[in-house]
Amino acid sequence: MKKEFYDRPFHIISNYITEFFLSSINLAICNILLILFCIFTAISSNELNLFLLFIVLIPLGPSLGALYSTIGRIVRERDIYFASYYWNCYKNNFISYLKLWLVELITLTILFIDFKYFYLHMPEKGIHIIFVGLMIISLIIGLYAFAINSRFEIKLKDLFLLSMYYMIKKFQITILKIVVIIVAYYLSKNILIAFWIFIPSIICFIFFYYDKIIFKELETKFLSDQHSTPSDSK
């Protein structure tokens, strides 16, 4: 009877709505400094402080990692104690998510500085376009890396190599993820700022379904490998 109740569409939909709301609140709490930075930057006409932006972006990685892992657990099990699971996941995997995010964030920062330099000093040569392309590729690799890292314990170097491999192998999924990001960007320009915090949860929910086939492949691979196993904590 319990399983039948959980399988009812009304329970599933109401559960997802509640958990999306809670996930968005938790994400906002973790990134309150980033939210304040965006508010003050929007109000002030001063030039963007790149160093301060880098600092306030640091908590974003672990919070997104915990969000993706929790959304995946919700979809698989349909009913969990969301708040406790989110914060346990955030605490237990903080270092893992942070190392991955710092590599991604530092790479993006360097590429952005290079882009800005060539755009301001040599716009006619078009060199800045190369750095835009590299930033996009880095972001896409990060999407795969966070997804894989949310389910498996893998060395950082192997994680990035595996992410690049799937970015190319699952090119159709890569395109779909890019489309989702673009659509989310344009939707964010036409909705109230208060609703922006719900966008990451919805994106993670969509991405989880895209990544199911990758998870299945990796689970099969790791189960057949005596030296690597999926992480139970994630």
Side-chain angles (χ1 to χ4, degrees), residues 41-56:
T41 301
I43 295 174
S44 174
S45 58
N46 296 331
E47 185 178 352
L48 179 69
N49 188 321
L50 189 59
F51 175 75
L52 187 56
L53 177 60
F54 180 92
I55 297 300
V56 298

Side-chain angles (χ1 to χ4, degrees), residues 13-149:
I13 294 173
S14 62
N15 198 41
Y16 282 165
I17 292 174
T18 302
E19 284 151 358
F20 281 160
F21 176 77
L22 292 174
S23 67
S24 301
I25 296 300
N26 287 332
L27 190 70
I29 292 172
C30 291
N31 295 281
I32 188 65
L33 292 178
L34 177 59
I35 293 172
L36 292 174
F37 176 86
C38 292
I39 292 173
F40 287 125
T41 301
I43 295 174
S44 174
S45 58
N46 296 331
E47 185 178 352
L48 179 69
N49 188 321
L50 189 59
F51 175 75
L52 187 56
L53 177 60
F54 180 92
I55 297 300
V56 298
L57 276 173
I58 291 176
L60 180 62
S63 60
L64 284 177
L67 175 65
Y68 192 96
S69 181
T70 306
I71 291 293
R73 189 71 175 264
I74 290 169
V75 175
R76 292 195 305 273
E77 300 187 8
R78 295 189 180 178
D79 192 74
I80 64 170
Y81 293 103
F82 178 88
S84 61
Y85 184 83
Y86 178 90
W87 291 111
N88 283 336
C89 184
Y90 184 87
K91 178 183 68 175
N92 295 334
N93 301 294
F94 181 83
I95 299 299
S96 175
Y97 293 139
L98 183 61
K99 287 193 294 184
L100 168 59
W101 177 235
L102 282 177
V103 172
E104 183 78 8
L105 186 57
I106 291 171
T107 301
L108 289 171
T109 302
I110 293 172
L111 291 173
F112 178 77
I113 292 172
D114 289 335
F115 160 79
K116 188 175 180 181
Y117 174 83
F118 285 105
Y119 179 76
L120 293 175
H121 296 87
M122 303 181 220
E124 69 284 352
K125 293 186 177 180
I127 300 177
H128 59 282
I129 297 175
I130 297 175
F131 293 100
V132 172
L134 291 174
M135 282 190 285
I136 293 173
I137 292 173
S138 179
L139 284 170
I140 295 171
I141 292 173
L143 293 177
Y144 282 99
F146 268 100
I148 297 170
N149 194 48

Side-chain angles (χ1 to χ4, degrees), residues 173 176-177 180 205-214:
I173 294 179
L176 288 172
K177 288 187 175 185
V180 169
F205 178 78
I206 296 172
F207 281 3
F208 177 80
Y209 280 98
Y210 290 164
D211 293 327
K212 268 186 172 182
I213 187 171
I214 295 174

